[in-house]
mmCIF file of all heavy atoms in Angstrom:
data_model
loop_
_atom_site.group_PDB
_atom_site.id
_atom_site.type_symbol
_atom_site.label_atom_id
_atom_site.label_comp_id
_atom_site.label_asym_id
_atom_site.label_seq_id
_atom_site.Cartn_x
_atom_site.Cartn_y
_atom_site.Cartn_z
ATOM 1 N N VAL A 290 -1.496 31.795 56.674
ATOM 2 C CA VAL A 290 -0.995 32.835 57.585
ATOM 3 C C VAL A 290 -0.766 34.139 56.824
ATOM 4 O O VAL A 290 -1.083 35.225 57.322
ATOM 5 C CB VAL A 290 0.300 32.372 58.275
ATOM 6 C CG1 VAL A 290 0.897 33.504 59.120
ATOM 7 C CG2 VAL A 290 0.040 31.156 59.153
ATOM 8 N N SER A 291 -0.222 34.051 55.597
ATOM 9 C CA SER A 291 0.042 35.266 54.818
ATOM 10 C C SER A 291 -1.246 36.006 54.504
ATOM 11 O O SER A 291 -1.291 37.237 54.536
ATOM 12 C CB SER A 291 0.780 34.916 53.521
ATOM 13 O OG SER A 291 -0.070 34.228 52.612
ATOM 14 N N LEU A 292 -2.312 35.259 54.207
ATOM 15 C CA LEU A 292 -3.591 35.898 53.910
ATOM 16 C C LEU A 292 -4.178 36.565 55.145
ATOM 17 O O LEU A 292 -4.731 37.664 55.069
ATOM 18 C CB LEU A 292 -4.560 34.866 53.342
ATOM 19 C CG LEU A 292 -4.240 34.378 51.931
ATOM 20 C CD1 LEU A 292 -5.075 33.144 51.570
ATOM 21 C CD2 LEU A 292 -4.488 35.483 50.906
ATOM 22 N N TRP A 293 -4.061 35.923 56.302
ATOM 23 C CA TRP A 293 -4.566 36.524 57.529
ATOM 24 C C TRP A 293 -3.764 37.765 57.905
ATOM 25 O O TRP A 293 -4.340 38.792 58.316
ATOM 26 C CB TRP A 293 -4.537 35.509 58.671
ATOM 27 C CG TRP A 293 -5.696 34.559 58.657
ATOM 28 C CD1 TRP A 293 -5.663 33.211 58.439
ATOM 29 C CD2 TRP A 293 -7.074 34.888 58.879
ATOM 30 N NE1 TRP A 293 -6.917 32.671 58.481
ATOM 31 C CE2 TRP A 293 -7.818 33.677 58.757
ATOM 32 C CE3 TRP A 293 -7.767 36.069 59.140
ATOM 33 C CZ2 TRP A 293 -9.201 33.644 58.911
ATOM 34 C CZ3 TRP A 293 -9.149 36.027 59.295
ATOM 35 C CH2 TRP A 293 -9.845 34.827 59.183
ATOM 36 N N VAL A 294 -2.449 37.696 57.780
ATOM 37 C CA VAL A 294 -1.609 38.866 58.076
ATOM 38 C C VAL A 294 -1.937 40.004 57.113
ATOM 39 O O VAL A 294 -2.076 41.165 57.519
ATOM 40 C CB VAL A 294 -0.114 38.500 58.004
ATOM 41 C CG1 VAL A 294 0.770 39.751 58.106
ATOM 42 C CG2 VAL A 294 0.246 37.521 59.112
ATOM 43 N N GLY A 295 -2.055 39.674 55.823
ATOM 44 C CA GLY A 295 -2.400 40.693 54.842
ATOM 45 C C GLY A 295 -3.757 41.308 55.115
ATOM 46 O O GLY A 295 -3.942 42.531 54.987
ATOM 47 N N ALA A 296 -4.730 40.479 55.510
ATOM 48 C CA ALA A 296 -6.063 40.994 55.827
ATOM 49 C C ALA A 296 -6.009 41.938 57.024
ATOM 50 O O ALA A 296 -6.715 42.966 57.043
ATOM 51 C CB ALA A 296 -7.018 39.838 56.107
ATOM 52 N N ALA A 297 -5.178 41.610 58.011
ATOM 53 C CA ALA A 297 -5.043 42.488 59.178
ATOM 54 C C ALA A 297 -4.427 43.826 58.776
ATOM 55 O O ALA A 297 -4.870 44.895 59.219
ATOM 56 C CB ALA A 297 -4.193 41.800 60.246
ATOM 57 N N VAL A 298 -3.401 43.775 57.929
ATOM 58 C CA VAL A 298 -2.757 45.007 57.458
ATOM 59 C C VAL A 298 -3.736 45.842 56.644
ATOM 60 O O VAL A 298 -3.846 47.061 56.824
ATOM 61 C CB VAL A 298 -1.508 44.670 56.615
ATOM 62 C CG1 VAL A 298 -0.945 45.927 55.964
ATOM 63 C CG2 VAL A 298 -0.443 44.012 57.489
ATOM 64 N N ALA A 299 -4.480 45.185 55.751
ATOM 65 C CA ALA A 299 -5.469 45.896 54.940
ATOM 66 C C ALA A 299 -6.571 46.486 55.807
ATOM 67 O O ALA A 299 -7.065 47.592 55.547
ATOM 68 C CB ALA A 299 -6.065 44.954 53.893
ATOM 69 N N GLY A 300 -6.965 45.753 56.859
ATOM 70 C CA GLY A 300 -7.982 46.270 57.765
ATOM 71 C C GLY A 300 -7.530 47.522 58.486
ATOM 72 O O GLY A 300 -8.290 48.490 58.616
ATOM 73 N N CYS A 301 -6.291 47.522 58.948
ATOM 74 C CA CYS A 301 -5.737 48.718 59.602
ATOM 75 C C CYS A 301 -5.697 49.901 58.629
ATOM 76 O O CYS A 301 -5.987 51.040 59.005
ATOM 77 C CB CYS A 301 -4.341 48.424 60.141
ATOM 78 S SG CYS A 301 -4.308 47.236 61.497
ATOM 79 N N ALA A 302 -5.339 49.618 57.373
ATOM 80 C CA ALA A 302 -5.309 50.684 56.365
ATOM 81 C C ALA A 302 -6.707 51.221 56.105
ATOM 82 O O ALA A 302 -6.899 52.431 55.925
ATOM 83 C CB ALA A 302 -4.690 50.159 55.069
ATOM 84 N N SER A 303 -7.712 50.334 56.108
ATOM 85 C CA SER A 303 -9.086 50.774 55.888
ATOM 86 C C SER A 303 -9.555 51.682 57.012
ATOM 87 O O SER A 303 -10.240 52.698 56.771
ATOM 88 C CB SER A 303 -10.016 49.556 55.780
ATOM 89 O OG SER A 303 -9.632 48.723 54.711
ATOM 90 N N VAL A 304 -9.204 51.336 58.255
ATOM 91 C CA VAL A 304 -9.557 52.185 59.392
ATOM 92 C C VAL A 304 -8.906 53.558 59.243
ATOM 93 O O VAL A 304 -9.529 54.593 59.493
ATOM 94 C CB VAL A 304 -9.130 51.517 60.713
ATOM 95 C CG1 VAL A 304 -9.302 52.482 61.884
ATOM 96 C CG2 VAL A 304 -9.929 50.251 60.951
ATOM 97 N N ARG A 305 -7.670 53.556 58.819
ATOM 98 C CA ARG A 305 -6.959 54.835 58.628
ATOM 99 C C ARG A 305 -7.640 55.690 57.562
ATOM 100 O O ARG A 305 -7.752 56.912 57.700
ATOM 101 C CB ARG A 305 -5.508 54.561 58.231
ATOM 102 C CG ARG A 305 -4.684 55.814 57.986
ATOM 103 C CD ARG A 305 -3.220 55.441 57.756
ATOM 104 N NE ARG A 305 -2.447 56.632 57.470
ATOM 105 C CZ ARG A 305 -2.208 57.108 56.261
ATOM 106 N NH1 ARG A 305 -2.715 56.477 55.205
ATOM 107 N NH2 ARG A 305 -1.496 58.190 56.068
ATOM 108 N N ILE A 306 -8.101 55.047 56.477
ATOM 109 C CA ILE A 306 -8.797 55.785 55.419
ATOM 110 C C ILE A 306 -10.096 56.391 55.956
ATOM 111 O O ILE A 306 -10.424 57.546 55.675
ATOM 112 C CB ILE A 306 -9.092 54.861 54.224
ATOM 113 C CG1 ILE A 306 -7.795 54.426 53.549
ATOM 114 C CG2 ILE A 306 -9.983 55.557 53.205
ATOM 115 C CD1 ILE A 306 -7.977 53.378 52.478
ATOM 116 N N LEU A 307 -10.825 55.604 56.741
ATOM 117 C CA LEU A 307 -12.092 56.100 57.275
ATOM 118 C C LEU A 307 -11.875 57.246 58.256
ATOM 119 O O LEU A 307 -12.653 58.206 58.289
ATOM 120 C CB LEU A 307 -12.842 54.952 57.968
ATOM 121 C CG LEU A 307 -13.351 53.836 57.052
ATOM 122 C CD1 LEU A 307 -13.952 52.707 57.873
ATOM 123 C CD2 LEU A 307 -14.385 54.390 56.073
ATOM 124 N N VAL A 308 -10.818 57.150 59.054
ATOM 125 C CA VAL A 308 -10.532 58.199 60.026
ATOM 126 C C VAL A 308 -10.076 59.475 59.342
ATOM 127 O O VAL A 308 -10.424 60.588 59.746
ATOM 128 C CB VAL A 308 -9.469 57.711 61.037
ATOM 129 C CG1 VAL A 308 -9.004 58.860 61.929
ATOM 130 C CG2 VAL A 308 -10.030 56.579 61.884
ATOM 131 N N ARG A 309 -9.310 59.308 58.277
ATOM 132 C CA ARG A 309 -8.760 60.461 57.565
ATOM 133 C C ARG A 309 -9.418 60.587 56.189
ATOM 134 O O ARG A 309 -8.771 60.519 55.157
ATOM 135 C CB ARG A 309 -7.252 60.322 57.435
ATOM 136 C CG ARG A 309 -6.536 60.161 58.771
ATOM 137 C CD ARG A 309 -5.047 60.121 58.577
ATOM 138 N NE ARG A 309 -4.568 61.367 58.018
ATOM 139 C CZ ARG A 309 -3.277 61.594 57.692
ATOM 140 N NH1 ARG A 309 -2.391 60.654 57.875
ATOM 141 N NH2 ARG A 309 -2.930 62.744 57.177
ATOM 142 N N ARG A 310 -10.708 60.763 56.172
ATOM 143 C CA ARG A 310 -11.449 60.835 54.903
ATOM 144 C C ARG A 310 -11.025 62.002 54.031
ATOM 145 O O ARG A 310 -11.143 61.957 52.817
ATOM 146 C CB ARG A 310 -12.947 60.939 55.185
ATOM 147 C CG ARG A 310 -13.560 59.662 55.725
ATOM 148 C CD ARG A 310 -15.017 59.858 56.034
ATOM 149 N NE ARG A 310 -15.228 60.875 57.057
ATOM 150 C CZ ARG A 310 -16.418 61.307 57.443
ATOM 151 N NH1 ARG A 310 -17.500 60.822 56.865
ATOM 152 N NH2 ARG A 310 -16.528 62.221 58.382
ATOM 153 N N ARG A 311 -10.534 63.038 54.656
ATOM 154 C CA ARG A 311 -10.117 64.203 53.894
ATOM 155 C C ARG A 311 -8.594 64.239 53.742
ATOM 156 O O ARG A 311 -7.990 65.310 53.612
ATOM 157 C CB ARG A 311 -10.606 65.481 54.574
ATOM 158 C CG ARG A 311 -12.109 65.563 54.657
ATOM 159 C CD ARG A 311 -12.545 66.816 55.384
ATOM 160 N NE ARG A 311 -12.101 68.008 54.680
ATOM 161 C CZ ARG A 311 -12.744 68.558 53.656
ATOM 162 N NH1 ARG A 311 -13.866 68.011 53.221
ATOM 163 N NH2 ARG A 311 -12.289 69.651 53.065
ATOM 164 N N GLY A 312 -7.973 63.072 53.732
ATOM 165 C CA GLY A 312 -6.515 62.993 53.646
ATOM 166 C C GLY A 312 -6.008 63.184 52.241
ATOM 167 O O GLY A 312 -6.698 63.607 51.323
ATOM 168 N N ARG A 313 -4.773 62.771 52.046
ATOM 169 C CA ARG A 313 -4.076 63.073 50.795
ATOM 170 C C ARG A 313 -4.582 62.261 49.604
ATOM 171 O O ARG A 313 -4.266 62.554 48.482
ATOM 172 C CB ARG A 313 -2.578 62.824 50.969
ATOM 173 C CG ARG A 313 -2.227 61.379 51.253
ATOM 174 C CD ARG A 313 -0.797 61.210 51.699
ATOM 175 N NE ARG A 313 -0.625 61.785 53.018
ATOM 176 C CZ ARG A 313 0.471 61.616 53.751
ATOM 177 N NH1 ARG A 313 1.471 60.911 53.276
ATOM 178 N NH2 ARG A 313 0.577 62.157 54.943
ATOM 179 N N PHE A 314 -5.385 61.217 49.837
ATOM 180 C CA PHE A 314 -5.898 60.413 48.736
ATOM 181 C C PHE A 314 -7.315 60.818 48.334
ATOM 182 O O PHE A 314 -8.008 60.069 47.680
ATOM 183 C CB PHE A 314 -5.883 58.928 49.130
ATOM 184 C CG PHE A 314 -4.574 58.273 48.835
ATOM 185 C CD1 PHE A 314 -3.442 58.620 49.529
ATOM 186 C CD2 PHE A 314 -4.464 57.310 47.845
ATOM 187 C CE1 PHE A 314 -2.242 58.014 49.268
ATOM 188 C CE2 PHE A 314 -3.263 56.700 47.582
ATOM 189 C CZ PHE A 314 -2.141 57.054 48.301
ATOM 190 N N ARG A 315 -7.771 62.000 48.745
ATOM 191 C CA ARG A 315 -9.112 62.431 48.386
ATOM 192 C C ARG A 315 -9.217 62.698 46.877
ATOM 193 O O ARG A 315 -8.253 63.077 46.230
ATOM 194 C CB ARG A 315 -9.500 63.688 49.162
ATOM 195 C CG ARG A 315 -8.649 64.900 48.862
ATOM 196 C CD ARG A 315 -9.111 66.088 49.715
ATOM 197 N NE ARG A 315 -8.332 67.274 49.431
ATOM 198 C CZ ARG A 315 -7.212 67.577 50.045
ATOM 199 N NH1 ARG A 315 -6.713 66.760 50.962
ATOM 200 N NH2 ARG A 315 -6.544 68.681 49.749
ATOM 201 N N PHE A 316 -10.406 62.512 46.345
ATOM 202 C CA PHE A 316 -10.644 62.746 44.928
ATOM 203 C C PHE A 316 -10.679 64.254 44.645
ATOM 204 O O PHE A 316 -11.036 65.051 45.486
ATOM 205 C CB PHE A 316 -11.960 62.118 44.486
ATOM 206 C CG PHE A 316 -11.922 60.617 44.447
ATOM 207 C CD1 PHE A 316 -13.098 59.896 44.261
ATOM 208 C CD2 PHE A 316 -10.729 59.929 44.590
ATOM 209 C CE1 PHE A 316 -13.067 58.519 44.223
ATOM 210 C CE2 PHE A 316 -10.704 58.549 44.544
ATOM 211 C CZ PHE A 316 -11.874 57.847 44.362
ATOM 212 N N LYS A 317 -10.343 64.595 43.418
ATOM 213 C CA LYS A 317 -10.327 65.994 43.004
ATOM 214 C C LYS A 317 -11.500 66.240 42.060
ATOM 215 O O LYS A 317 -11.666 65.543 41.067
ATOM 216 C CB LYS A 317 -9.006 66.319 42.298
ATOM 217 C CG LYS A 317 -7.782 66.045 43.166
ATOM 218 C CD LYS A 317 -6.501 66.228 42.369
ATOM 219 C CE LYS A 317 -5.285 65.886 43.204
ATOM 220 N NZ LYS A 317 -4.032 66.012 42.426
ATOM 221 N N ARG A 318 -12.297 67.247 42.388
ATOM 222 C CA ARG A 318 -13.491 67.500 41.609
ATOM 223 C C ARG A 318 -13.173 67.974 40.202
ATOM 224 O O ARG A 318 -13.930 67.736 39.273
ATOM 225 C CB ARG A 318 -14.352 68.552 42.333
ATOM 226 C CG ARG A 318 -14.922 68.051 43.655
ATOM 227 C CD ARG A 318 -15.786 69.117 44.299
ATOM 228 N NE ARG A 318 -16.348 68.655 45.562
ATOM 229 C CZ ARG A 318 -17.119 69.396 46.341
ATOM 230 N NH1 ARG A 318 -17.418 70.648 45.975
ATOM 231 N NH2 ARG A 318 -17.580 68.908 47.472
ATOM 232 N N ASP A 319 -12.052 68.684 40.041
ATOM 233 C CA ASP A 319 -11.724 69.226 38.725
ATOM 234 C C ASP A 319 -10.898 68.264 37.879
ATOM 235 O O ASP A 319 -10.385 68.630 36.834
ATOM 236 C CB ASP A 319 -10.962 70.544 38.884
ATOM 237 C CG ASP A 319 -9.682 70.371 39.688
ATOM 238 O OD1 ASP A 319 -9.551 69.331 40.365
ATOM 239 O OD2 ASP A 319 -8.822 71.278 39.635
ATOM 240 N N GLU A 320 -10.780 67.018 38.316
ATOM 241 C CA GLU A 320 -9.951 66.052 37.601
ATOM 242 C C GLU A 320 -10.737 65.413 36.459
ATOM 243 O O GLU A 320 -11.908 65.060 36.611
ATOM 244 C CB GLU A 320 -9.479 64.973 38.585
ATOM 245 C CG GLU A 320 -8.472 63.996 37.995
ATOM 246 C CD GLU A 320 -8.005 63.013 39.043
ATOM 247 O OE1 GLU A 320 -7.726 63.439 40.174
ATOM 248 O OE2 GLU A 320 -7.939 61.813 38.725
ATOM 249 N N ASP A 321 -10.078 65.248 35.328
ATOM 250 C CA ASP A 321 -10.701 64.633 34.161
ATOM 251 C C ASP A 321 -10.911 63.137 34.431
ATOM 252 O O ASP A 321 -9.938 62.407 34.643
ATOM 253 C CB ASP A 321 -9.802 64.841 32.939
ATOM 254 C CG ASP A 321 -10.428 64.310 31.655
ATOM 255 O OD1 ASP A 321 -11.574 63.810 31.714
ATOM 256 O OD2 ASP A 321 -9.771 64.386 30.605
ATOM 257 N N PRO A 322 -12.159 62.649 34.432
ATOM 258 C CA PRO A 322 -12.389 61.229 34.731
ATOM 259 C C PRO A 322 -12.098 60.301 33.558
ATOM 260 O O PRO A 322 -12.067 59.081 33.728
ATOM 261 C CB PRO A 322 -13.886 61.193 35.074
ATOM 262 C CG PRO A 322 -14.473 62.305 34.265
ATOM 263 C CD PRO A 322 -13.417 63.384 34.214
ATOM 264 N N PHE A 323 -11.876 60.851 32.356
ATOM 265 C CA PHE A 323 -11.736 60.015 31.160
ATOM 266 C C PHE A 323 -10.577 59.003 31.268
ATOM 267 O O PHE A 323 -10.778 57.825 30.947
ATOM 268 C CB PHE A 323 -11.551 60.890 29.922
ATOM 269 C CG PHE A 323 -11.425 60.114 28.645
ATOM 270 C CD1 PHE A 323 -12.536 59.546 28.046
ATOM 271 C CD2 PHE A 323 -10.187 59.929 28.050
ATOM 272 C CE1 PHE A 323 -12.429 58.813 26.872
ATOM 273 C CE2 PHE A 323 -10.051 59.198 26.877
ATOM 274 C CZ PHE A 323 -11.180 58.640 26.292
ATOM 275 N N PRO A 324 -9.363 59.410 31.699
ATOM 276 C CA PRO A 324 -8.276 58.416 31.781
ATOM 277 C C PRO A 324 -8.600 57.260 32.715
ATOM 278 O O PRO A 324 -8.302 56.097 32.394
ATOM 279 C CB PRO A 324 -7.092 59.241 32.302
ATOM 280 C CG PRO A 324 -7.405 60.642 31.926
ATOM 281 C CD PRO A 324 -8.888 60.763 32.025
ATOM 282 N N LEU A 325 -9.229 57.564 33.864
ATOM 283 C CA LEU A 325 -9.578 56.496 34.801
ATOM 284 C C LEU A 325 -10.614 55.557 34.196
ATOM 285 O O LEU A 325 -10.494 54.327 34.299
ATOM 286 C CB LEU A 325 -10.094 57.097 36.108
ATOM 287 C CG LEU A 325 -10.552 56.095 37.179
ATOM 288 C CD1 LEU A 325 -9.417 55.154 37.551
ATOM 289 C CD2 LEU A 325 -11.082 56.818 38.403
ATOM 290 N N VAL A 326 -11.624 56.115 33.553
ATOM 291 C CA VAL A 326 -12.669 55.295 32.938
ATOM 292 C C VAL A 326 -12.076 54.399 31.851
ATOM 293 O O VAL A 326 -12.376 53.199 31.770
ATOM 294 C CB VAL A 326 -13.784 56.182 32.358
ATOM 295 C CG1 VAL A 326 -14.773 55.346 31.543
ATOM 296 C CG2 VAL A 326 -14.513 56.918 33.475
ATOM 297 N N MET A 327 -11.214 54.967 31.008
ATOM 298 C CA MET A 327 -10.599 54.179 29.940
ATOM 299 C C MET A 327 -9.679 53.101 30.491
ATOM 300 O O MET A 327 -9.640 51.980 29.975
ATOM 301 C CB MET A 327 -9.830 55.112 28.999
ATOM 302 C CG MET A 327 -10.711 55.974 28.111
ATOM 303 S SD MET A 327 -11.843 54.980 27.090
ATOM 304 C CE MET A 327 -10.682 53.982 26.150
#
């Protein structure tokens, strides 16, 4: 049940991300990628 509930919550979050593609979690072009890669 916990996995199904979590999957439903994650699915709703994914829909929100797709709807708000230009939201606050968008990537920044001028950001240094080195820390993320490391």
Side-chain angles (χ1 to χ4, degrees):
V290 175
S291 70
L292 289 168
W293 279 114
V294 172
V298 172
C301 293
S303 300
V304 172
R305 179 173 178 268
I306 294 173
L307 292 175
V308 171
R309 303 184 63 183
R310 289 177 298 175
R311 298 178 62 83
R313 64 192 69 170
F314 273 68
R315 64 181 181 272
F316 289 170
K317 302 173 183 178
R318 293 181 180 179
D319 58 344
E320 187 177 316
D321 184 2
F323 181 76
L325 178 58
V326 172
M327 288 303 300

